[in-house]
Amino acid sequence: MEKRMENSSGRAVTREPCIIGDDKRRIQLVHDYLVSRSDVDAISDVLPGDAPRELVEAVTANCALDHVGCLIFPSELNAVRAYLQEQGLRPRKPFTGSVVRDRLAARYGVQDERLKAGCLDVQIIHGELSGDSSRGIEVLCVDPDDELTASALRNERIGQHENHVAVRITDPGRVEELRSILARPGGPHPDGGGYNPAQGEGGATVLRFRAAGFTAMGWPRRLEIIVSGRHTEVLLRHLGQTAPGGDSGEETDRRLLRRLTGAWGTQAIRAMVDLDLPDHLAERPLTPKELADRTGVDADRLNRLLRALCHPWIGALAPAGEAFALTALGRRLTRTAPNSMRHLAQMYGGLFYESFGKLADGIRDDAQPFVAVFGQPPFEYFRDHPQQGRLFTRAMAEGAFFPDVAAAVDLTGARTVADIGGGNGELLAHLCDAYPDLKGALLDRPEVIGTARDNLQAHGHLNRCTLHAGSFTDSRDLPAADVYVVSRILHDWDDQTCVSILRAIRDAASGDSTLLIIERPLSDDPEDASVSSLWDLNMLVNNVGGRERTREQYRRLLEEAGFLVVAERPLRLDISVIIARPAA
């Protein structure tokens, strides 16, 4: 972008410095936006309109507003610098915007060989606010003749895809924590990013997020998190949640490789649990030799597993000198961890791992993968194989969301809560913990009732609960209650059975009873970061007729059974409580 430059055909061209009126207007708009808003206002404007308050607070507490940015198409950089000075800004020295370049290249199909030849050069100029060097505007500059078609230029001008609010994280050590918070339900969607070695001393890692809707100025809601230095593993985790097209080249290959080797990580975690490594490491780090002595396995082979468990793609262990220590993830696999997920690891790495090998057959031939592998539908198999049945019941009880249900829904006025299909009673036990005066009831298959009795006894709540063996499609088997809970049950069944379950509850319920449906609703957006679509695939493989459903589909099922949806409360892990009451 110099006054004398070569076009794509290699011929030298000369033109006067130029910045058109539309580009001036874009710069003026981001400048006015920046000076008229506080950090909290600007950050809130680019986050989802219904973002949880704690999410907004996490960003504002750990970040400072760095800049507001826009993309323009000037023929000469000096004209941009001059205009910034006219506006009372102090322009810094331009630097190459490699992350933006890769994003534009992916969006418009510019080939890698063209990029390597120097095409699609993106230059970034920061203009500091007078009297406040910590904040400013960012102008992304692309030559209008540089490898983008006329339609691409028009699309960028109309869509304003690169307009964004950028914040700089104040403590680089908390970047992964902040990324994880933003990726939770109710937060924005990951939207690419990268490492730019030219951005500041030591370069900078950029994580981009987007949310539905538009800002007060009519721009797409886009948030950019900037952290000084290279944070490769954080970036990889972020890109792993980004929709395709957000990056290119080696990062794409690395993300694909991570997916292809995911089975190895699943089996490594299962082996970790089968060898009781989390419990051996619960008190202190141990060396491979010490762990080998405790588990009775070969130290060299065990060391190879331990090293793999340290890999950031797994992250269950961390090196501690010559020893190995549990990470926060690894501690979730100990027997004593609250809502331990060790049985989930054994289930997903065992039976469900085998059945997923028949996924393609289930799509192509209309076969049921679990039945094809094990010869029976899941619940019949678990009935005839008690050991696996107990594992399944325990795995399904390892819901990290259980403690949240009592906080999400106020049961203060309720006298009795009935958990329909309540498994081993873990959720009911949490509700009894939270409400000391609440009476409990649990309905499930006869072979499960014994496990529920033992678990409720262990929690000290058996004297407050009644246990009912029966069918949840027969209202005569259902206990009377003020509140009915159906947790992760409806997704196991086809629509007709779901309506039968709900109608049985409606027949047993009084006119002022409350029904709580706990499920993982499918998003209407296929690119949503929720894991619901993956669980829907799991239902296709490991169930007969089961599926995850959208909120609208649940609403229709409830209405057909005589209920009206009155509210919804989000829980962790993309799960929600849908609150319904009997229709008049």
Side-chain angles (χ1 to χ4, degrees):
M1 292 181 197
E2 300 300 334
K3 186 174 180 180
R4 180 176 178 83
M5 56 190 303
E6 290 186 352
N7 63 17
S8 58
S9 66
R11 293 180 298 174
V13 296
T14 302
R15 58 188 177 207
E16 293 300 316
C18 178
I19 176 172
I20 64 174
D22 186 63
D23 286 341
K24 290 181 179 180
R25 181 181 63 83
R26 292 171 186 276
I27 293 174
Q28 187 64 54
L29 285 174
V30 295
H31 173 266
D32 293 347
Y33 184 92
L34 178 69
V35 299
S36 65
R37 282 169 172 75
S38 66
D39 285 19
V40 174
D41 288 341
I43 292 169
S44 299
D45 198 22
V46 292
L47 289 173
D50 56 353
R53 184 180 64 182
E54 57 269 21
L55 187 149
V56 180
E57 292 175 348
V59 180
T60 54
N62 291 287
C63 301
L65 185 61
D66 186 87
H67 66 260
V68 181
C70 66
L71 175 67
I72 66 172
F73 300 92
S75 60
E76 218 276 344
L77 290 181
N78 284 336
V80 180
R81 292 168 59 84
Y83 183 70
L84 292 178
Q85 288 175 328
E86 289 176 17
Q87 303 306 305
L89 297 162
R90 293 191 300 272
R92 300 180 194 166
K93 182 179 178 181
F95 62 92
T96 300
S98 58
V99 178
V100 181
R101 177 202 64 196
D102 290 348
R103 191 160 56 243
L104 289 171
R107 190 177 298 153
Y108 297 108
V110 179
Q111 301 300 313
D112 285 349
E113 56 267 23
R114 299 295 293 158
L115 296 179
K116 292 175 182 177
C119 293
L120 195 56
D121 177 34
V122 179
Q123 293 293 314
I124 298 178
I125 301 177
H126 277 186
E128 296 177 355
L129 287 178
S130 178
D132 186 358
S133 61
S134 65
R135 304 207 312 173
I137 68 171
E138 179 179 86
V139 184
L140 313 173
C141 302
V142 179
D143 191 290
D145 295 332
D146 197 352
E147 201 66 23
L148 290 181
T149 64
S151 61
L153 293 173
R154 184 168 58 253
N155 182 52
E156 287 301 315
R157 289 189 183 280
I158 295 173
Q160 303 181 91
H161 304 297
E162 294 300 328
N163 280 46
H164 63 275
V165 169
V167 297
R168 184 174 292 276
I169 191 166
T170 51
D171 180 1
R174 304 192 70 177
V175 60
E176 171 57 20
E177 176 186 350
L178 183 60
R179 184 203 67 80
S180 299
I181 292 172
L182 283 166
R184 290 176 185 172
H189 303 314
D191 192 38
Y195 169 71
N196 188 352
Q199 188 168 350
E201 184 177 353
T205 299
V206 176
L207 309 179
R208 281 175 60 98
F209 296 85
R210 64 177 173 86
F214 300 91
T215 67
M217 298 298 291
W219 305 323
R221 285 174 165 155
R222 297 191 183 278
L223 173 66
E224 185 173 285
I225 305 289
I226 304 171
V227 56
S228 299
R230 185 191 290 268
H231 298 265
T232 303
E233 297 304 333
V234 175
L235 181 60
L236 287 174
R237 281 189 283 272
H238 179 73
L239 293 177
Q241 294 183 306
T242 296
D247 61 290
S248 60
E250 183 181 351
E251 296 295 355
T252 298
D253 293 343
R254 188 176 291 271
R255 289 197 301 125
L256 178 57
L257 190 61
R258 181 175 184 176
R259 303 300 187 276
L260 295 174
T261 58
W264 305 351
T266 301
Q267 289 303 319
I269 290 176
R270 180 194 173 187
M272 179 186 183
V273 171
D274 286 348
L275 293 170
D276 286 327
L277 300 184
D279 295 293
H280 289 306
L281 292 167
E283 293 186 3
R284 65 178 179 88
L286 297 172
T287 66
K289 177 63 167 61
E290 290 173 319
L291 282 168
D293 290 342
R294 295 189 181 200
T295 57
V297 300
D298 178 76
D300 178 67
R301 289 175 176 268
L302 181 60
N303 185 53
R304 294 164 71 175
L305 171 62
L306 299 172
R307 287 175 58 87
L309 290 166
C310 289
H311 193 282
W313 291 358
I314 303 177
L317 297 180
E322 295 182 357
F324 291 88
L326 290 174
T327 62
L329 185 153
R331 288 196 175 277
R332 299 287 285 111
L333 299 168
T334 61
R335 298 176 191 275
T336 57
N339 294 298
S340 168
M341 297 176 76
R342 61 180 288 110
H343 295 109
L344 275 174
Q346 291 175 314
M347 176 62 64
Y348 290 168
L351 283 176
F352 288 178
Y353 186 91
E354 292 184 54
S355 52
F356 252 98
K358 294 291 186 180
L359 172 60
D361 293 342
I363 302 295
R364 181 173 51 233
D365 303 328
D366 199 29
Q368 207 290 316
F370 189 97
V371 176
V373 174
F374 298 107
Q376 293 177 280
F379 292 115
E380 292 180 17
Y381 178 87
F382 292 136
R383 180 197 62 203
D384 295 341
H385 298 79
Q387 184 175 354
Q388 293 289 355
R390 286 190 294 272
L391 175 61
F392 174 78
T393 300
R394 290 167 181 165
M396 295 304 100
E398 291 178 339
F401 62 89
F402 284 173
D404 299 341
V405 176
V409 182
D410 185 6
L411 301 181
T412 303
R415 294 163 298 176
T416 305
V417 59
D419 192 351
I420 307 303
N424 74 345
E426 189 68 19
L427 174 56
L428 187 59
H430 280 285
L431 294 176
C432 289
D433 285 340
Y435 295 94
D437 296 328
L438 191 67
K439 300 294 184 181
L442 182 144
L443 174 84
D444 214 310
R445 304 184 310 277
E447 64 267 23
V448 176
I449 289 297
T451 303
R453 179 180 292 106
D454 294 342
N455 193 34
L456 289 167
Q457 178 71 53
H459 279 281
H461 298 315
L462 186 58
N463 62 328
R464 296 166 54 189
C465 298
T466 59
L467 303 179
H468 304 260
S471 169
F472 44 40
T473 60
D474 189 340
S475 61
R476 295 169 297 181
D477 290 343
L478 270 62
D482 302 313
V483 178
Y484 290 89
V485 180
V486 181
S487 177
R488 306 291 286 141
I489 297 296
L490 297 184
H491 75 148
D492 286 331
W493 302 97
D494 58 33
D495 288 356
Q496 182 178 353
T497 305
C498 286
V499 172
S500 297
I501 295 170
L502 295 172
R503 281 178 175 163
I505 295 173
R506 179 65 185 89
D507 291 342
S510 63
D512 57 356
S513 294
T514 298
L515 173 61
L516 307 181
I517 302 294
I518 301 176
E519 291 289 351
R520 187 177 271 116
L522 277 171
S523 171
D524 293 322
D525 179 4
E527 294 184 351
D528 190 278
S530 165
V531 298
S532 302
S533 59
L534 298 178
W535 253 257
D536 188 40
L537 196 64
N538 178 53
M539 300 311 296
L540 186 152
V541 171
N542 291 306
N543 202 284
V544 179
R547 64 187 309 141
E548 304 296 348
R549 295 175 173 88
T550 65
R551 290 171 172 83
E552 175 61 20
Q553 288 171 324
Y554 280 120
R555 184 191 65 77
R556 289 201 298 264
L557 290 176
L558 285 160
E559 286 188 357
E560 186 175 348
F563 287 95
L564 291 178
V565 175
V566 297
E568 180 181 340
R569 300 285 185 270
L571 306 177
R572 68 184 77 186
L573 299 178
D574 305 324
I575 294 175
S576 288
V577 181
I578 299 172
I579 305 172
R581 293 203 171 91

